Amino acid sequence: LWGRNVHDSIAKFLQFQLTVNIVAVIVAFTGACITQDSPLKAVQMLWVNLIMDTFASLALATEPPTEALLLRKPYGRNKPLISRTMMKNILGHAVYQLTLIFTLLFV
């Protein structure tokens, strides 16, 4: 029960972190190329990562296991930690966030 909960929590943590980092890097790079000045300075990027790491780790550590975890089959040893569905979620949320940020930045 706890092993499945830890696995699922780590997968959620990775999904969140990858989404935030992809968006931050693309915004910094694209903003620097287009406006010749990065919209996020180094200190601001550090604050974004600090805050996002804190929230993600709190979510990772505070979710209790449920009995529903035992109703599904265990994951195989060779199954990737980031599934196709997770990758679609990461890319979908990144596109949504980038659309909002670029709209606010350039409009």
Side-chain angles (χ1 to χ4, degrees):
L1 181 67
W2 281 98
R4 291 181 187 189
N5 187 46
V6 168
H7 181 275
D8 289 349
S9 295
I10 290 172
K12 291 175 191 176
F13 175 80
L14 281 175
Q15 184 173 347
F16 181 75
Q17 283 297 104
L18 288 173
T19 303
V20 170
N21 287 327
I22 287 170
V23 170
V25 167
I26 291 174
V27 166
F29 180 75
T30 307
C33 290
I34 293 175
T35 65
Q36 302 301 320
D37 187 31
S38 179
L40 293 173
K41 307 293 186 236
V43 174
Q44 292 170 327
M45 288 284 282
L46 288 172
W47 275 107
V48 167
N49 280 325
L50 178 69
I51 292 168
M52 291 302 121
D53 290 343
T54 303
F55 289 146
S57 62
L58 280 174
L60 173 67
T62 58
E63 188 171 347
T66 62
E67 294 297 323
L69 290 173
L70 294 176
L71 298 178
R72 67 168 165 82
K73 292 182 180 178
Y75 294 123
R77 184 178 296 235
N78 296 325
K79 186 176 186 291
L81 192 56
I82 300 173
S83 66
R84 283 190 191 270
T85 305
M86 285 176 60
M87 189 56 68
K88 289 177 187 176
N89 287 338
I90 290 169
L91 294 175
H93 284 278
V95 168
Y96 173 72
Q97 290 176 19
L98 287 169
T99 303
L100 280 175
I101 290 172
F102 286 145
T103 301
L104 292 172
L105 187 62
F106 296 121
V107 173

